[in-house]
Amino acid sequence: MSHSLLSAEPGSTHLLLGNEAVVRGALEAGVGCVTCYPGTPSSEAPDTFFSLAPEADYYFEYSVNEKVALEVGGGAALGGVPALVTMKHVGVNVAADPLMSLAYIGTPGGLVLLSADDPGCHSSQNEQDNRYYARLAGLPCFEPASAQEAKDMTRDALLLSAKWEQPVLLRTTTRVNHLRGPVTFGPLRGAQTRGTFVKNPSRFVPLPAIARQRHPALLHNLSSIQEEIGQSSWTRHSGQGSQGIIASGISRAYLHDALADMDLQESFRILELGITYPFPEQAVLDLLHSVDSVLILEELEPMLEDQVRLVCQKHGLQVLVQGKDENLTQLGEYSTQSVRQALLRFQGQAPEEPDLCSTREGLPGRPPNLCPGCSHRSMYYAVRQVFGDTAIYSTDIGCYTLGFLPPLRAADFLFCMGSSVSGGSGMAQATGQPVVAYIGDSTFFHSGITGLINAIHNRHNLLLVVLDNSTTAMTGHQPHPGVDQTRHGPNPAQVDIEQVIRGCGVQEVSTVRPSNLKKTLDILKDYKEKDGVRVIIAKEPCVLFARRTLGRKNPQTAYVAEQTDDVRRCLEELACPAFYVQDGEIQIDENQCSGCMLCVQIAPSIKARKRS
């Protein structure tokens, strides 16, 4: 039986994750090409497309990085095929180069870029507001507030993009991606997987003379789209009174909840902006003419607020604008509670004492941690045995970043995806100290290769450790070019990391299994005495991936045979989560133990036995 996302009748209602709703919306628009690089909070969208792919007609790929994903999607859109490209917010930084040009030359088949922003840094290195990219590149920007809107806006964004032949930004936030809500389906369109490319070099090859012509064409289109947005159902007026509220994104959902809680549904004139760029100036002006003051609700940057102040100045309006302040800050997520407080202040009332849920006292702290049996932990332990604090550790984006905490302390600095190699090169050049750089296998393909080539070309002095766990572990075990197995079976086009590294010109390359401690230590000691670019590939499957996808079960478990100093030292230096202390004695939880047997090699008093 087909998946409900592919077959449900129009008018039926389903409970969907926001990211799943995005998938349905794209299907209703007839999407023919979907590309991505997985990144939380967007990951479930491409993962759902991936799961549906065997039953569906659209083309889908996990691209090696966001720039490539957008270029593949852009090529399909130029060929007349509706394309959806998904990534997390920081991925748009990687894709920014083609994004700027695509806005100029246009996308005849229609192209939507899903940018999943992360206010509050739930799983990200920053909380940048990608509405800036909409303005920078000149992309209409949709901002859903519910699962239903995530579905409908994805559909409408693709249709708008195809109509105006301009790429569109679908900007979600973590709360929208991961909420679950009822979604009423519309009719499905058949996937449009083939199109026609109408050659027009004077448009699609942005030489300087052509780019100068395409810029005014883009501005003209945006002006027309701005008029259309003002009349769109995504620009909504409601309520009454002399005070106004303008809200976008998930803030609209918080606003409705707060108004319902306070029984103030009819106390304000409200303008909801589902499409925030091009800025619907006339709709805002209409509201401002009818109120004495206006409250702006938007997460992160004061972009709407600045636009509203500009409209007031431009038209000489004496409207009090209340936006970002010490309570509605540029930091993190809003909530129903924070919006409720803002409404009280807006009405001149004293804020209430927040009625927040409190946690139980005495709960133990649970810092982020690598899994029991994680091969990254094994490698970090070995590196610290050889280099200790004498080396500087350059790390990268992935679950291995969790190794930054003591006692592993495997991270001294980090910039972004793929930066550990090139950043480490610069660090070694500047300090003259040994540098050990870590990068995951997926991240190596994403953007580590160029840094490695640069290190070889410029003769940097660096030890690079590729932590190859045979999957993209952090975001949910998505495949990459180096895997041999995916959820859909063997990978017929596996790319060998060691051969790639040798092809880049690296002479000193070794592949080890980190769970083999002696061999790993021997290679580390050997490479420590050498100069130049050296690479160790630490290859061992992610323990979760090995169990869930590869079906591997380790029949052994470790146990403490005798309480000795070497056992305590193992606990203190390895910090495996399977260890625990009870009544002063160190024990190993068989349910937590993965059976990697690294601890057995560290402490003679720890033994292996058959799992019960």
Side-chain angles (χ1 to χ4, degrees):
M1 178 181 293
S2 296
H3 193 286
S4 61
L5 288 174
L6 292 172
S7 63
E9 291 298 316
S12 61
T13 300
H14 301 260
L15 190 63
L16 297 184
L17 201 66
N19 279 330
E20 295 171 333
V22 167
V23 174
R24 175 69 187 194
L27 296 172
E28 291 185 6
V31 69
C33 176
V34 182
T35 62
C36 76
Y37 187 78
T40 306
S42 71
S43 298
E44 294 88 356
D47 286 355
T48 303
F49 277 114
F50 178 59
S51 298
L52 298 178
E55 301 179 59
D57 295 328
Y58 55 78
Y59 170 76
F60 173 83
E61 74 171 38
Y62 287 111
S63 305
V64 294
N65 66 30
E66 295 87 352
K67 177 176 182 289
V68 173
L70 185 57
E71 289 165 344
V72 172
L78 259 62
V81 171
L84 175 69
V85 184
T86 75
M87 58 192 67
K88 66 182 297 176
H89 62 311
V90 291
V92 181
N93 302 333
V94 181
D97 199 1
L99 182 63
M100 300 299 135
S101 296
L102 281 169
Y104 270 30
I105 66 177
T107 49
L111 183 144
V112 169
L113 171 58
L114 167 62
S115 165
D117 290 11
D118 189 17
C121 297
H122 293 285
S123 57
S124 309
Q125 63 268 45
N126 66 42
E127 51 181 347
Q128 69 189 43
D129 189 333
N130 276 7
R131 291 180 298 171
Y132 277 121
Y133 271 114
R135 285 147 180 77
L136 178 62
L139 310 181
C141 179
F142 286 67
E143 295 189 61
S146 66
Q148 181 71 54
E149 289 191 356
K151 191 271 286 182
D152 292 341
M153 284 193 177
T154 304
R155 177 200 61 207
D156 289 359
L158 272 164
L159 298 178
L160 183 79
S161 176
K163 175 182 177 181
W164 292 100
E165 300 189 1
Q166 294 290 157
V168 172
L169 189 74
L170 178 66
R171 187 246 188 181
T172 58
T173 53
T174 304
R175 203 59 54 182
V176 174
N177 293 101
H178 290 163
L179 61 75
R180 191 173 286 277
V183 177
T184 301
F185 286 2
L188 282 175
R189 297 188 182 200
Q192 183 183 340
T193 57
R194 284 290 181 270
T196 301
F197 176 55
V198 180
K199 290 189 177 183
N200 186 358
S202 63
R203 172 181 173 183
F204 296 129
V205 185
L207 301 173
I210 295 172
R212 282 193 287 271
Q213 296 174 2
R214 292 304 305 172
H215 195 185
L218 168 62
L219 297 179
H220 175 75
N221 280 351
L222 287 175
S223 178
S224 299
I225 293 171
Q226 185 180 37
E227 292 181 17
E228 184 171 321
I229 289 172
Q231 305 301 318
S232 165
S233 61
W234 297 119
T235 302
R236 299 170 181 159
H237 293 268
S238 62
Q240 57 189 2
S242 60
Q243 290 186 300
I245 300 173
I246 300 175
S248 70
I250 191 67
S251 298
R252 292 185 287 129
Y254 298 143
L255 173 63
H256 284 294
D257 287 347
L259 291 175
D261 286 347
M262 302 165 75
D263 196 22
L264 293 175
Q265 292 95 328
E266 298 299 323
S267 300
F268 303 95
R269 292 184 185 274
I270 298 171
L271 174 59
E272 293 185 60
L273 299 180
I275 307 173
T276 54
Y277 189 81
F279 184 67
E281 183 173 330
Q282 188 57 52
V284 171
L285 188 59
D286 291 344
L287 176 78
L288 294 176
H289 276 307
S290 63
V291 297
D292 301 323
S293 57
V294 64
L295 173 67
I296 315 296
L297 297 175
E298 57 182 332
E299 288 183 332
L300 296 180
E301 300 299 313
M303 303 185 72
L304 292 179
E305 179 185 342
D306 290 348
Q307 289 285 329
V308 170
R309 292 184 188 279
L310 181 62
V311 170
C312 290
Q313 191 276 337
K314 184 176 173 182
H315 294 274
L317 301 177
Q318 299 300 313
V319 177
L320 176 66
V321 179
Q322 180 173 322
K324 297 294 178 185
D325 57 20
E326 66 275 14
N327 301 110
L328 292 178
T329 75
Q330 294 172 249
L331 308 175
E333 297 182 294
Y334 285 1
S335 65
T336 301
Q337 186 65 40
S338 63
V339 170
R340 181 187 177 101
Q341 301 292 348
L343 290 173
L344 288 172
R345 292 194 302 275
F346 189 47
Q347 291 185 309
Q349 300 180 38
E352 302 168 336
E353 190 67 29
D355 183 18
L356 303 176
C357 297
S358 58
T359 57
R360 291 173 56 189
E361 295 184 359
L363 292 176
R366 296 181 186 278
N369 207 346
L370 296 167
C371 301
C374 175
S375 59
H376 301 340
R377 182 186 303 278
S378 305
M379 195 65 203
Y380 289 153
Y381 174 83
V383 171
R384 288 211 66 85
Q385 296 303 304
V386 175
F387 287 89
D389 287 330
T390 63
I392 298 172
Y393 299 109
S394 173
T395 194
D396 223 299
I397 302 291
C399 52
Y400 47 94
T401 316
L402 299 175
F404 84 103
L405 289 172
L408 301 175
R409 290 172 290 161
D412 289 318
F413 69 98
L414 165 66
F415 301 148
C416 61
M417 286 284 285
S419 68
S420 63
V421 191
S422 39
S425 297
M427 181 63 74
Q429 179 67 30
T431 65
Q433 290 182 249
V435 172
V436 178
Y438 296 108
I439 193 168
D441 42 351
S442 183
T443 312
F444 176 76
F445 287 113
H446 178 282
S447 49
I449 295 174
T450 48
L452 180 61
I453 293 172
N454 181 75
I456 289 292
H457 174 65
N458 290 294
R459 301 185 180 186
H460 286 294
N461 188 20
L462 181 81
L463 172 58
L464 173 65
V465 178
V466 180
L467 298 163
D468 181 358
N469 59 10
S470 302
T471 188
T472 311
M474 187 68 154
T475 50
H477 297 152
Q478 294 85 3
H480 60 67
V483 305
D484 57 3
Q485 289 284 331
T486 75
R487 274 185 289 159
H488 293 331
N491 174 17
Q494 183 182 8
V495 177
D496 188 305
I497 291 178
E498 182 169 333
Q499 293 303 315
V500 170
I501 290 171
R502 291 189 185 280
C504 290
V506 180
Q507 301 296 316
E508 299 286 354
V509 187
S510 296
T511 297
V512 300
R513 288 180 60 239
S515 59
N516 186 335
L517 183 59
K518 182 178 183 307
K519 185 174 181 180
T520 303
L521 290 172
D522 288 345
I523 291 175
L524 281 166
K525 291 172 184 174
D526 180 33
Y527 280 14
K528 183 182 180 183
E529 302 304 318
K530 296 179 178 178
D531 293 323
V533 178
R534 298 138 285 156
V535 180
I536 297 174
I537 303 168
K539 188 173 180 61
E540 197 126 31
C542 161
V543 288
L544 298 180
F545 181 73
R547 185 167 66 241
R548 295 172 182 173
T549 302
L550 304 180
R552 297 180 184 175
K553 296 180 181 178
N554 199 319
Q556 289 186 308
T557 185
Y559 74 99
V560 178
E562 186 179 0
Q563 299 291 325
T564 59
D565 289 343
D566 60 88
V567 174
R568 184 164 298 280
R569 188 168 57 253
C570 181
L571 169 63
E572 293 173 348
E573 296 181 358
L574 186 62
C576 175
F579 282 57
Y580 65 99
V581 179
Q582 186 173 45
D583 299 329
E585 293 195 344
I586 300 170
Q587 304 291 342
I588 297 175
D589 184 345
E590 181 179 316
N591 296 315
Q592 291 278 332
C593 178
S594 71
C596 71
M597 297 298 121
L598 183 71
C599 57
V600 173
Q601 301 170 62
I602 297 172
S605 301
I606 299 176
K607 307 293 184 184
R609 68 183 176 196
K610 187 176 180 180
R611 192 179 294 274
S612 59

